[in-house]
Amino acid sequence: MRNRKLKWCRLMLAAIIGGAIGSVFGMEKIIFDTDMYGDYDDVGALALLHDYADRGQVEILATVSCTVGDTNNKSVAVCEILNAFYGRPEIPVGVSKAANAVGRDHREKNQRRGFGICEKYAKWIRHPAADDAEDAVRVYRRLLAAAEDQSVTIVSVGFLTNLAELLRSAGDEFSPLAGKALVAKKVKKWVAMACAYPQGRECNSMWDAPASKIVLEEWPTVAYFTDYTYGCHVHTGRVIAESALKDHPVADAFRNCLKPRDQLQNPPPSWDDTVDGHPSWDETAILLAVEEPERLFGLQRGCYRMVGDDGTNTWTDDPQGKHIRIVEKVPFAEIGRLIDLKMMTAGLERKVREPAEDVLDEIQRPHDRNGAQEDDGRSDDADSEQDCVRNADEDDSERSVPGPTRAGLVEQVEEPSPESEMRVHPVEPALEPVA
């Protein structure tokens, strides 16, 4: 127990020091583009973004939604709740005005109506209907035009509708530059949760496939991807869902959406919840955007492309490729521990001190409390399957993934055995170094 708590102390101290360094060397200026719609990892991602902002590592320029749907869609409302909860209600919001935006004639059951938190936190909502918010492209163009050159990071964890509309936008009162030229001038990097490796139909890239094709082919800056294949191995949220936190919208959202332990499947499909929580596709995008990528992830260069008309994407290895996808370096379980830590501590006053015993007890993940992973005897939930599935073409061979070796982020990381590595990445090719 003492050694485990010592690890957490070291991890917290490293995170605090990292925040101080971020304050000295400049902040990432981030526009967060989210569906905040059919899956609640977006909630965790925005919580992490605010945690980095608390540490002086990030300035959140805007939170924009790529989904629509009038009062059925609470995507903007949830962003406003979280922004206000973390003390930043002034952050601009926007929503897609595209005629083909997801939410028009999309599956009604995918509209989770705000993850069950909008009624409780209604006092912080300025746009009960997402469609009433400002045009997301207008928000993008205003902020980019005012930014310094090569200074903005765009993080997209939803459909690529807004980015396609931005690339196709014309000059306006904010800038005479057309969209693609404005992006090339002002954006430093694009970080996306999208696509399936090495091929497949992934939610964020398939539902507005024409937009995905435009953005994947025409985006003019460096682009980093945390794809379906990576995020489905990182599970988080059980800690905050089962914590004692009260009047906390992130904790409430995970409590409302995360499967109870007695409903877990054994083994779980790769898109489904486990004893540690929900797949962390979107949360890993925030780590990728803010941290030095090489610190936490292996990097593989190549190119994602959309093929056909059904939303299928493919990946091609290319040492000169314009896209960089992440693979496991720090074990998946440790990435999960870091995300859980940030969700639990976001918004708290940060001091360099030994964490209190009760805080450490709250942060310990279910594996830590119970020893080896417990059986996930769960019942099927057809609606949850439709809501959470990310990759329509996944095969059964990837559905059962053993937990990776645990090692401290601030200590020497153990190398996984060749057998374990094969199970985790059954089709992973040799990695190309990233220049």
Side-chain angles (χ1 to χ4, degrees):
M1 176 66 74
R2 180 174 179 81
N3 288 340
R4 184 168 59 217
K5 292 183 176 180
L6 181 59
K7 282 188 177 182
W8 278 108
C9 290
R10 291 176 179 175
L11 186 56
M12 285 184 169
L13 183 60
I16 293 168
I17 293 172
I21 293 173
S23 299
V24 172
F25 290 100
M27 296 186 291
E28 291 283 347
K29 298 180 183 298
I30 290 179
I31 299 175
F32 182 65
D33 196 321
T34 172
D35 51 351
M36 201 64 78
Y37 176 81
D39 208 347
Y40 52 102
D41 51 338
D42 300 71
V43 174
L46 188 49
L48 261 64
L49 201 54
H50 280 284
D51 179 72
Y52 279 116
D54 289 342
R55 299 174 186 276
Q57 293 175 267
V58 160
E59 178 184 357
I60 307 173
L61 298 181
T63 55
V64 297
S65 171
C66 57
T67 59
V68 297
D70 197 43
T71 55
N72 286 330
N73 188 309
K74 303 296 185 183
S75 58
V76 174
V78 173
C79 289
E80 290 175 331
I81 289 170
L82 297 182
N83 291 343
F85 175 74
Y86 289 113
R88 299 178 180 88
E90 74 288 349
I91 291 175
V93 297
V95 72
S96 176
K97 304 296 183 180
N100 62 327
V102 175
R104 306 189 197 282
D105 301 321
H106 198 53
R107 296 175 300 177
E108 175 69 18
K109 61 186 169 184
N110 255 9
Q111 301 191 22
R112 288 178 182 263
R113 301 177 186 272
F115 312 109
I117 66 173
C118 289
E119 183 175 347
K120 181 176 181 179
Y121 302 100
K123 64 182 180 181
W124 289 326
I125 297 173
R126 291 176 288 141
H127 298 90
D131 288 358
D132 293 339
E134 185 179 5
D135 183 352
V137 173
R138 183 176 173 84
V139 174
Y140 268 117
R141 290 191 59 87
R142 182 176 68 246
L143 293 172
L144 291 179
E148 296 180 2
D149 291 354
Q150 307 293 312
S151 66
V152 176
T153 294
I154 293 175
V155 179
S156 66
V157 295
F159 316 112
L160 303 186
T161 309
N162 287 333
L163 299 187
E165 294 292 307
L166 173 61
L167 289 178
R168 295 300 172 90
S169 64
D172 55 14
E173 69 267 36
F174 305 121
S175 172
L177 296 177
K180 186 173 181 179
L182 183 63
V183 169
K185 182 176 176 64
K186 300 293 187 173
V187 173
K188 178 171 67 172
K189 63 184 177 183
W190 168 39
V191 176
M193 191 284 118
C195 299
Y197 175 88
Q199 67 178 26
R201 299 171 66 236
E202 185 275 330
C203 179
N204 287 348
S205 49
M206 68 178 279
W207 282 116
D208 191 352
S212 298
K213 180 176 175 63
I214 291 170
V215 179
L216 292 178
E217 291 179 358
E218 299 184 18
W219 192 262
T221 76
V222 63
Y224 289 85
F225 289 79
T226 173
D227 51 32
Y228 173 89
T229 313
Y230 184 89
C232 68
H233 295 321
V234 180
H235 291 84
T236 62
R238 186 74 64 183
V239 170
I240 196 166
E242 296 181 356
S243 73
L245 292 174
K246 297 179 180 179
D247 298 324
H248 193 298
V250 176
D252 288 341
F254 275 83
R255 288 169 188 147
N256 292 338
C257 298
L258 188 63
K259 277 188 177 181
R261 290 170 180 259
D262 61 359
Q263 294 181 19
L264 300 177
Q265 297 184 57
N266 185 24
S270 66
W271 44 259
D272 205 2
D273 300 340
T274 70
V275 66
D276 281 334
H278 190 61
S280 300
W281 293 287
D282 294 353
E283 292 94 337
T284 58
I286 303 303
L287 298 183
L288 179 57
V290 183
E291 301 286 350
E292 288 296 327
E294 296 85 353
R295 174 173 172 255
L296 298 179
F297 309 109
L299 304 177
Q300 182 177 353
R301 191 181 283 276
C303 188
Y304 268 123
R305 295 181 178 86
M306 301 301 294
V307 295
D309 299 322
D310 64 348
T312 298
N313 73 261
T314 62
W315 169 269
T316 303
D317 284 327
D318 182 353
Q320 305 302 317
K322 61 182 180 179
H323 298 157
I324 301 168
R325 66 178 294 265
I326 59 172
V327 297
E328 184 184 20
K329 179 179 180 180
V330 172
F332 293 125
E334 292 305 319
I335 297 296
R337 287 164 66 93
L338 179 59
I339 291 170
D340 275 328
L341 171 65
K342 286 184 169 295
M343 282 199 285
M344 283 292 293
T345 60
L348 300 179
E349 183 180 5
R350 286 165 175 79
K351 298 178 181 178
V352 180
R353 59 177 174 82
E354 288 270 320
E357 294 288 314
D358 57 340
V359 174
L360 283 167
D361 289 340
E362 289 287 2
I363 297 173
Q364 288 168 22
R365 286 157 59 85
H367 276 99
D368 301 320
R369 291 197 299 267
N370 302 330
Q373 171 142 1
E374 55 191 70
D375 272 351
D376 296 330
R378 327 184 214 179
S379 61
D380 276 328
D381 183 334
D383 284 342
S384 178
E385 176 173 349
Q386 291 301 316
D387 288 343
C388 297
V389 66
R390 289 283 187 152
N391 181 358
D393 291 340
E394 129 190 284
D395 67 63
D396 291 337
S397 66
E398 294 187 79
R399 293 197 171 195
S400 178
V401 179
T405 305
R406 292 187 174 275
L409 280 172
V410 293
E411 297 181 358
Q412 183 68 33
V413 176
E414 295 182 28
E415 292 293 332
S417 68
E419 180 183 3
S420 173
E421 189 170 12
M422 287 178 63
R423 288 197 299 266
V424 173
H425 300 298
V427 290
E428 198 81 57
L431 302 185
E432 295 288 350
V434 175

